[in-house]
Amino acid sequence: MATPHNSANKGEIAKTVLMPGDPLRAEFIAKTFLENVVCYNKVRGMLGFTGKYKGKEISVQGSGMGIPSMGIYSWELFHEYDVDNIIRIGTIGAIADNVNLRDVIIGMGACTNSNYAAQFDLPGTYAPTASFELLRRAVEAAENHGKPYHVGNILSSDTFYDDSNSTAKWQKMNVLGVEMESAALYMNAARAGKNALCIATVSDCPLKNLSLPAEERQTSFTDMMEIALETAVNI
C-alpha cells in the first residue's frame, strides 16, 4: 500500500535500499549500474527504482536533504515496506585534516546537533551507530576497490549555514566529516531492529574553502556507489 510519500506497493522495493540525498543521483545509479530497472516512486520528485545488480534485487531512492526528510523516508521503508537494510550514499564535508576531496568516508557513528532522539524519551544521550555487518562488508568492498577511504565518526548537522561556525570544534574530537542525514537513519534503524550505514564522498572541505561543482557531485562519485553496491550484494 502506498504511503503519503511513496507510491510503491509492497513487494516493489527490495530488502536493501541505497539512499542518496539527491533523487537525480538515484536515477543515475539505477540507469548506470542496475539491470531490469523499474521506477516505483515519483511522489514529490523523490525518485525510487528497483533493479538487479549481479543478479541481486536492489532498490535506490532519494532521501532528500536533512534529518527530517531522511527520518520520514527511512521510517516508511523500514516499517511500511519491510526493508531490512538502508545504505546512505551521499556527499560529506571533510573536517579532519587527513581527509581530502573525493575520499570516501564510512560512518561508524553519527554525532548530531539535532533533537531527533527526543522522540524516543530516553533517560540519557543516545549514540547513533552503524550496523556492524554492513560496516564490515563496506570496509571489505573498499579494500577490494583500492580507493582512499576512512572509517570513523561523522556529524549529522541540522544546519548547513552555521551561524556559530562550530565545525572546527568537532575537529578536535576526531570527527571526520559533516553531513545532514545519517543520525536519523541510524536511530530509525535501531528502533526498527534493522540495519543502516552511511558511505559518503567528500565533496567539500569547509575549513579549507575547497569544494566540487554540483554536476560532479551528482554523477561522478562512482567509487562510493560501487562500494555500496558491492556491500549490498554481499549482505
Side-chain angles (χ1 to χ4, degrees):
M1 178 180 292
T3 72
H5 312 96
N6 200 320
S7 59
N9 295 311
K10 280 195 174 181
E12 294 180 341
I13 301 178
K15 289 295 186 180
T16 298
V17 178
L18 275 54
M19 292 199 80
D22 185 350
L24 294 181
R25 189 180 298 128
E27 183 177 44
F28 173 83
I29 294 166
K31 291 182 176 180
T32 304
F33 295 102
L34 302 185
E35 298 178 342
N36 303 321
V37 175
V38 175
C39 179
Y40 63 76
N41 187 56
K42 294 182 180 179
V43 177
R44 293 176 175 263
M46 203 57 66
L47 302 174
F49 305 88
T50 296
K52 289 193 174 181
Y53 180 77
K54 295 186 176 181
K56 183 169 183 176
E57 190 175 66
I58 293 172
S59 294
V60 56
Q61 178 178 332
S63 71
M65 288 192 292
I67 281 176
S69 188
M70 171 59 85
I72 290 170
Y73 286 102
S74 62
W75 193 96
E76 291 183 353
L77 290 174
F78 284 138
H79 293 275
E80 301 294 339
Y81 292 101
D82 299 324
V83 169
D84 290 332
N85 313 290
I86 296 179
I87 302 173
R88 165 167 154 69
I89 45 174
T91 56
I92 193 167
I95 294 177
D97 282 335
N98 65 324
V99 180
N100 301 304
L101 289 174
R102 300 182 183 84
D103 283 1
V104 171
I105 293 177
I106 302 172
M108 183 165 56
C111 309
T112 187
N113 56 16
S114 169
N115 201 36
Y116 191 81
Q119 65 179 301
F120 303 115
D121 194 26
L122 300 168
T125 302
Y126 184 75
T129 59
S131 301
F132 177 74
E133 181 62 20
L134 295 186
L135 178 65
R136 182 171 69 88
R137 295 290 185 184
V139 170
E140 290 174 354
E143 291 282 352
N144 293 335
H145 204 61
K147 297 294 182 179
Y149 74 94
H150 310 266
V151 179
N153 222 346
I154 60 176
L155 168 66
S156 296
S157 178
D158 266 349
T159 52
F160 187 89
Y161 300 105
D162 181 9
D163 194 62
S164 67
N165 195 25
S166 64
T167 303
K169 296 178 182 178
W170 291 97
Q171 186 185 57
K172 66 183 181 182
M173 295 304 292
N174 200 30
V175 172
L176 299 178
V178 56
E179 48 85 76
M180 302 185 73
E181 290 83 24
S182 295
L185 173 60
Y186 289 6
M187 286 188 233
N188 278 2
R191 183 67 179 90
K194 304 296 182 74
N195 304 304
L197 179 67
C198 171
I199 304 172
T201 300
V202 175
S203 60
D204 61 289
C205 302
L207 299 179
K208 301 176 184 177
N209 293 317
L210 299 173
S211 63
L212 297 174
E215 183 177 353
E216 188 168 350
R217 297 179 185 210
Q218 181 177 308
T219 61
S220 68
F221 293 163
T222 54
D223 290 338
M224 163 186 69
M225 298 171 189
E226 291 172 1
I227 291 169
L229 287 163
E230 289 299 321
T231 300
V233 83
N234 286 302
I235 298 171

mmCIF file of all heavy atoms in Angstrom, residues 182-218:
data_model
loop_
_atom_site.group_PDB
_atom_site.id
_atom_site.type_symbol
_atom_site.label_atom_id
_atom_site.label_comp_id
_atom_site.label_asym_id
_atom_site.label_seq_id
_atom_site.Cartn_x
_atom_site.Cartn_y
_atom_site.Cartn_z
ATOM 1 N N SER A 182 22.587 11.092 8.471
ATOM 2 C CA SER A 182 22.864 9.738 8.964
ATOM 3 C C SER A 182 22.382 9.459 10.381
ATOM 4 O O SER A 182 21.991 8.334 10.691
ATOM 5 C CB SER A 182 24.366 9.442 8.867
ATOM 6 O OG SER A 182 24.766 9.419 7.520
ATOM 7 N N ALA A 183 22.429 10.441 11.269
ATOM 8 C CA ALA A 183 21.994 10.190 12.642
ATOM 9 C C ALA A 183 20.540 9.725 12.689
ATOM 10 O O ALA A 183 20.196 8.786 13.412
ATOM 11 C CB ALA A 183 22.182 11.443 13.495
ATOM 12 N N ALA A 184 19.681 10.363 11.913
ATOM 13 C CA ALA A 184 18.269 9.948 11.872
ATOM 14 C C ALA A 184 18.132 8.550 11.298
ATOM 15 O O ALA A 184 17.341 7.736 11.793
ATOM 16 C CB ALA A 184 17.446 10.934 11.057
ATOM 17 N N LEU A 185 18.887 8.267 10.246
ATOM 18 C CA LEU A 185 18.846 6.930 9.650
ATOM 19 C C LEU A 185 19.278 5.875 10.655
ATOM 20 O O LEU A 185 18.614 4.840 10.811
ATOM 21 C CB LEU A 185 19.750 6.889 8.423
ATOM 22 C CG LEU A 185 19.952 5.511 7.784
ATOM 23 C CD1 LEU A 185 18.632 4.918 7.314
ATOM 24 C CD2 LEU A 185 20.956 5.591 6.649
ATOM 25 N N TYR A 186 20.370 6.123 11.374
ATOM 26 C CA TYR A 186 20.865 5.149 12.345
ATOM 27 C C TYR A 186 19.867 4.957 13.485
ATOM 28 O O TYR A 186 19.664 3.841 13.965
ATOM 29 C CB TYR A 186 22.215 5.599 12.901
ATOM 30 C CG TYR A 186 23.382 5.509 11.928
ATOM 31 C CD1 TYR A 186 23.195 5.156 10.596
ATOM 32 C CD2 TYR A 186 24.671 5.791 12.346
ATOM 33 C CE1 TYR A 186 24.254 5.082 9.710
ATOM 34 C CE2 TYR A 186 25.750 5.709 11.476
ATOM 35 C CZ TYR A 186 25.542 5.358 10.163
ATOM 36 O OH TYR A 186 26.605 5.278 9.280
ATOM 37 N N MET A 187 19.249 6.033 13.934
ATOM 38 C CA MET A 187 18.261 5.918 15.007
ATOM 39 C C MET A 187 17.030 5.154 14.547
ATOM 40 O O MET A 187 16.509 4.291 15.276
ATOM 41 C CB MET A 187 17.874 7.304 15.516
ATOM 42 C CG MET A 187 18.932 7.974 16.360
ATOM 43 S SD MET A 187 18.307 9.507 17.104
ATOM 44 C CE MET A 187 19.569 10.668 16.581
ATOM 45 N N ASN A 188 16.533 5.464 13.362
ATOM 46 C CA ASN A 188 15.358 4.752 12.860
ATOM 47 C C ASN A 188 15.636 3.271 12.689
ATOM 48 O O ASN A 188 14.787 2.425 12.976
ATOM 49 C CB ASN A 188 14.909 5.361 11.527
ATOM 50 C CG ASN A 188 14.054 6.595 11.711
ATOM 51 O OD1 ASN A 188 13.809 7.037 12.823
ATOM 52 N ND2 ASN A 188 13.598 7.169 10.610
ATOM 53 N N ALA A 189 16.840 2.950 12.207
ATOM 54 C CA ALA A 189 17.203 1.544 12.028
ATOM 55 C C ALA A 189 17.257 0.825 13.370
ATOM 56 O O ALA A 189 16.748 -0.294 13.513
ATOM 57 C CB ALA A 189 18.543 1.438 11.310
ATOM 58 N N ALA A 190 17.859 1.469 14.367
ATOM 59 C CA ALA A 190 17.952 0.852 15.690
ATOM 60 C C ALA A 190 16.566 0.602 16.274
ATOM 61 O O ALA A 190 16.289 -0.474 16.815
ATOM 62 C CB ALA A 190 18.767 1.751 16.614
ATOM 63 N N ARG A 191 15.691 1.597 16.148
ATOM 64 C CA ARG A 191 14.336 1.468 16.714
ATOM 65 C C ARG A 191 13.543 0.369 16.019
ATOM 66 O O ARG A 191 12.717 -0.311 16.644
ATOM 67 C CB ARG A 191 13.606 2.806 16.585
ATOM 68 C CG ARG A 191 12.220 2.819 17.205
ATOM 69 C CD ARG A 191 12.309 2.676 18.714
ATOM 70 N NE ARG A 191 10.984 2.707 19.337
ATOM 71 C CZ ARG A 191 10.242 1.624 19.549
ATOM 72 N NH1 ARG A 191 10.683 0.417 19.168
ATOM 73 N NH2 ARG A 191 9.065 1.724 20.127
ATOM 74 N N ALA A 192 13.794 0.190 14.711
ATOM 75 C CA ALA A 192 13.053 -0.810 13.944
ATOM 76 C C ALA A 192 13.712 -2.187 13.980
ATOM 77 O O ALA A 192 13.150 -3.153 13.456
ATOM 78 C CB ALA A 192 12.921 -0.346 12.485
ATOM 79 N N GLY A 193 14.908 -2.282 14.569
ATOM 80 C CA GLY A 193 15.629 -3.547 14.565
ATOM 81 C C GLY A 193 16.179 -3.890 13.196
ATOM 82 O O GLY A 193 16.318 -5.070 12.840
ATOM 83 N N LYS A 194 16.515 -2.863 12.411
ATOM 84 C CA LYS A 194 17.018 -3.043 11.054
ATOM 85 C C LYS A 194 18.474 -2.559 10.965
ATOM 86 O O LYS A 194 19.097 -2.251 11.984
ATOM 87 C CB LYS A 194 16.124 -2.280 10.074
ATOM 88 C CG LYS A 194 14.651 -2.659 10.123
ATOM 89 C CD LYS A 194 14.426 -4.109 9.704
ATOM 90 C CE LYS A 194 12.945 -4.495 9.697
ATOM 91 N NZ LYS A 194 12.204 -3.916 8.571
ATOM 92 N N ASN A 195 19.010 -2.505 9.769
ATOM 93 C CA ASN A 195 20.422 -2.194 9.557
ATOM 94 C C ASN A 195 20.599 -0.929 8.725
ATOM 95 O O ASN A 195 19.852 -0.699 7.773
ATOM 96 C CB ASN A 195 21.121 -3.352 8.843
ATOM 97 C CG ASN A 195 20.980 -4.656 9.580
ATOM 98 O OD1 ASN A 195 21.345 -4.756 10.748
ATOM 99 N ND2 ASN A 195 20.420 -5.661 8.917
ATOM 100 N N ALA A 196 21.625 -0.135 9.071
ATOM 101 C CA ALA A 196 21.878 1.112 8.346
ATOM 102 C C ALA A 196 23.360 1.427 8.332
ATOM 103 O O ALA A 196 24.104 1.053 9.243
ATOM 104 C CB ALA A 196 21.105 2.265 8.975
ATOM 105 N N LEU A 197 23.777 2.136 7.283
ATOM 106 C CA LEU A 197 25.168 2.560 7.136
ATOM 107 C C LEU A 197 25.205 3.783 6.243
ATOM 108 O O LEU A 197 24.373 3.943 5.342
ATOM 109 C CB LEU A 197 25.999 1.442 6.502
ATOM 110 C CG LEU A 197 27.480 1.746 6.253
ATOM 111 C CD1 LEU A 197 28.239 1.904 7.576
ATOM 112 C CD2 LEU A 197 28.125 0.652 5.412
ATOM 113 N N CYS A 198 26.188 4.653 6.488
ATOM 114 C CA CYS A 198 26.446 5.789 5.606
ATOM 115 C C CYS A 198 27.803 5.612 4.950
ATOM 116 O O CYS A 198 28.812 5.411 5.636
ATOM 117 C CB CYS A 198 26.414 7.102 6.379
ATOM 118 S SG CYS A 198 26.969 8.534 5.401
ATOM 119 N N ILE A 199 27.816 5.677 3.615
ATOM 120 C CA ILE A 199 29.050 5.718 2.831
ATOM 121 C C ILE A 199 28.992 7.024 2.041
ATOM 122 O O ILE A 199 28.091 7.207 1.221
ATOM 123 C CB ILE A 199 29.166 4.528 1.867
ATOM 124 C CG1 ILE A 199 29.058 3.196 2.643
ATOM 125 C CG2 ILE A 199 30.470 4.587 1.082
ATOM 126 C CD1 ILE A 199 28.976 1.983 1.731
ATOM 127 N N ALA A 200 29.919 7.930 2.306
ATOM 128 C CA ALA A 200 29.817 9.268 1.716
ATOM 129 C C ALA A 200 31.126 9.681 1.041
ATOM 130 O O ALA A 200 32.211 9.277 1.468
ATOM 131 C CB ALA A 200 29.446 10.288 2.786
ATOM 132 N N THR A 201 30.993 10.493 0.004
ATOM 133 C CA THR A 201 32.147 11.032 -0.708
ATOM 134 C C THR A 201 32.365 12.481 -0.306
ATOM 135 O O THR A 201 31.411 13.265 -0.234
ATOM 136 C CB THR A 201 31.936 10.958 -2.225
ATOM 137 O OG1 THR A 201 31.751 9.593 -2.606
ATOM 138 C CG2 THR A 201 33.144 11.502 -2.967
ATOM 139 N N VAL A 202 33.614 12.844 -0.081
ATOM 140 C CA VAL A 202 33.942 14.210 0.310
ATOM 141 C C VAL A 202 33.770 15.135 -0.894
ATOM 142 O O VAL A 202 34.470 15.015 -1.901
ATOM 143 C CB VAL A 202 35.379 14.305 0.856
ATOM 144 C CG1 VAL A 202 35.746 15.758 1.142
ATOM 145 C CG2 VAL A 202 35.520 13.461 2.109
ATOM 146 N N SER A 203 32.807 16.036 -0.778
ATOM 147 C CA SER A 203 32.515 16.996 -1.855
ATOM 148 C C SER A 203 33.088 18.370 -1.565
ATOM 149 O O SER A 203 33.205 19.197 -2.472
ATOM 150 C CB SER A 203 31.004 17.122 -2.053
ATOM 151 O OG SER A 203 30.389 17.569 -0.850
ATOM 152 N N ASP A 204 33.424 18.630 -0.295
ATOM 153 C CA ASP A 204 33.991 19.930 0.056
ATOM 154 C C ASP A 204 34.766 19.810 1.359
ATOM 155 O O ASP A 204 34.576 18.869 2.131
ATOM 156 C CB ASP A 204 32.900 20.999 0.178
ATOM 157 C CG ASP A 204 31.893 20.671 1.260
ATOM 158 O OD1 ASP A 204 31.093 19.728 1.072
ATOM 159 O OD2 ASP A 204 31.897 21.354 2.290
ATOM 160 N N CYS A 205 35.645 20.757 1.555
ATOM 161 C CA CYS A 205 36.429 20.853 2.790
ATOM 162 C C CYS A 205 36.177 22.246 3.358
ATOM 163 O O CYS A 205 36.904 23.199 3.023
ATOM 164 C CB CYS A 205 37.911 20.638 2.515
ATOM 165 S SG CYS A 205 38.314 19.062 1.735
ATOM 166 N N PRO A 206 35.138 22.423 4.180
ATOM 167 C CA PRO A 206 34.731 23.757 4.620
ATOM 168 C C PRO A 206 35.812 24.518 5.377
ATOM 169 O O PRO A 206 35.865 25.749 5.301
ATOM 170 C CB PRO A 206 33.509 23.491 5.507
ATOM 171 C CG PRO A 206 33.576 22.046 5.871
ATOM 172 C CD PRO A 206 34.254 21.371 4.727
ATOM 173 N N LEU A 207 36.682 23.816 6.081
ATOM 174 C CA LEU A 207 37.725 24.504 6.834
ATOM 175 C C LEU A 207 38.892 24.939 5.942
ATOM 176 O O LEU A 207 39.744 25.726 6.356
ATOM 177 C CB LEU A 207 38.247 23.606 7.958
ATOM 178 C CG LEU A 207 37.202 23.190 8.992
ATOM 179 C CD1 LEU A 207 37.821 22.281 10.046
ATOM 180 C CD2 LEU A 207 36.562 24.409 9.643
ATOM 181 N N LYS A 208 38.894 24.418 4.700
ATOM 182 C CA LYS A 208 39.946 24.778 3.738
ATOM 183 C C LYS A 208 39.396 25.567 2.552
ATOM 184 O O LYS A 208 40.146 25.896 1.628
ATOM 185 C CB LYS A 208 40.633 23.513 3.219
ATOM 186 C CG LYS A 208 41.283 22.659 4.303
ATOM 187 C CD LYS A 208 41.852 21.376 3.708
ATOM 188 C CE LYS A 208 42.423 20.464 4.786
ATOM 189 N NZ LYS A 208 42.915 19.174 4.237
ATOM 190 N N ASN A 209 38.075 25.830 2.552
ATOM 191 C CA ASN A 209 37.414 26.561 1.472
ATOM 192 C C ASN A 209 37.613 25.880 0.116
ATOM 193 O O ASN A 209 37.871 26.539 -0.901
ATOM 194 C CB ASN A 209 37.915 28.009 1.412
ATOM 195 C CG ASN A 209 37.496 28.816 2.620
ATOM 196 O OD1 ASN A 209 36.355 28.727 3.074
ATOM 197 N ND2 ASN A 209 38.414 29.612 3.159
ATOM 198 N N LEU A 210 37.454 24.558 0.100
ATOM 199 C CA LEU A 210 37.544 23.777 -1.128
ATOM 200 C C LEU A 210 36.216 23.088 -1.380
ATOM 201 O O LEU A 210 35.562 22.620 -0.444
ATOM 202 C CB LEU A 210 38.645 22.719 -1.021
ATOM 203 C CG LEU A 210 40.071 23.210 -0.790
ATOM 204 C CD1 LEU A 210 40.994 22.022 -0.543
ATOM 205 C CD2 LEU A 210 40.556 24.030 -1.971
ATOM 206 N N SER A 211 35.795 23.005 -2.658
ATOM 207 C CA SER A 211 34.532 22.326 -2.973
ATOM 208 C C SER A 211 34.533 21.879 -4.422
ATOM 209 O O SER A 211 35.291 22.385 -5.252
ATOM 210 C CB SER A 211 33.336 23.243 -2.712
ATOM 211 O OG SER A 211 33.370 24.370 -3.554
ATOM 212 N N LEU A 212 33.653 20.908 -4.718
ATOM 213 C CA LEU A 212 33.462 20.407 -6.073
ATOM 214 C C LEU A 212 32.160 20.955 -6.647
ATOM 215 O O LEU A 212 31.225 21.239 -5.905
ATOM 216 C CB LEU A 212 33.409 18.876 -6.065
ATOM 217 C CG LEU A 212 34.677 18.151 -5.593
ATOM 218 C CD1 LEU A 212 34.409 16.655 -5.493
ATOM 219 C CD2 LEU A 212 35.828 18.415 -6.542
ATOM 220 N N PRO A 213 32.053 21.101 -7.974
ATOM 221 C CA PRO A 213 30.822 21.618 -8.579
ATOM 222 C C PRO A 213 29.653 20.654 -8.431
ATOM 223 O O PRO A 213 29.837 19.436 -8.275
ATOM 224 C CB PRO A 213 31.206 21.799 -10.050
ATOM 225 C CG PRO A 213 32.357 20.892 -10.270
ATOM 226 C CD PRO A 213 33.106 20.837 -8.977
ATOM 227 N N ALA A 214 28.438 21.191 -8.522
ATOM 228 C CA ALA A 214 27.222 20.407 -8.290
ATOM 229 C C ALA A 214 27.089 19.241 -9.266
ATOM 230 O O ALA A 214 26.661 18.152 -8.882
ATOM 231 C CB ALA A 214 25.999 21.313 -8.382
ATOM 232 N N GLU A 215 27.444 19.436 -10.533
ATOM 233 C CA GLU A 215 27.289 18.372 -11.526
ATOM 234 C C GLU A 215 28.177 17.181 -11.180
ATOM 235 O O GLU A 215 27.764 16.025 -11.312
ATOM 236 C CB GLU A 215 27.639 18.892 -12.914
ATOM 237 C CG GLU A 215 27.435 17.853 -14.010
ATOM 238 C CD GLU A 215 27.729 18.402 -15.396
ATOM 239 O OE1 GLU A 215 27.957 19.619 -15.530
ATOM 240 O OE2 GLU A 215 27.726 17.600 -16.347
ATOM 241 N N GLU A 216 29.394 17.449 -10.730
ATOM 242 C CA GLU A 216 30.281 16.356 -10.348
ATOM 243 C C GLU A 216 29.752 15.626 -9.124
ATOM 244 O O GLU A 216 29.859 14.409 -9.020
ATOM 245 C CB GLU A 216 31.689 16.892 -10.080
ATOM 246 C CG GLU A 216 32.708 15.777 -9.860
ATOM 247 C CD GLU A 216 34.144 16.270 -9.874
ATOM 248 O OE1 GLU A 216 34.370 17.443 -10.237
ATOM 249 O OE2 GLU A 216 35.032 15.485 -9.515
ATOM 250 N N ARG A 217 29.135 16.342 -8.200
ATOM 251 C CA ARG A 217 28.542 15.701 -7.025
ATOM 252 C C ARG A 217 27.444 14.725 -7.439
ATOM 253 O O ARG A 217 27.255 13.672 -6.836
ATOM 254 C CB ARG A 217 27.944 16.745 -6.086
ATOM 255 C CG ARG A 217 28.944 17.723 -5.504
ATOM 256 C CD ARG A 217 28.245 18.719 -4.602
ATOM 257 N NE ARG A 217 29.134 19.756 -4.112
ATOM 258 C CZ ARG A 217 28.992 20.366 -2.950
ATOM 259 N NH1 ARG A 217 27.991 20.039 -2.159
ATOM 260 N NH2 ARG A 217 29.831 21.296 -2.569
ATOM 261 N N GLN A 218 26.709 15.087 -8.469
ATOM 262 C CA GLN A 218 25.538 14.311 -8.865
ATOM 263 C C GLN A 218 25.897 13.014 -9.573
ATOM 264 O O GLN A 218 25.245 11.997 -9.378
ATOM 265 C CB GLN A 218 24.656 15.172 -9.786
ATOM 266 C CG GLN A 218 23.373 14.491 -10.250
ATOM 267 C CD GLN A 218 22.538 15.429 -11.088
ATOM 268 O OE1 GLN A 218 22.242 16.541 -10.690
ATOM 269 N NE2 GLN A 218 22.184 14.982 -12.269
#
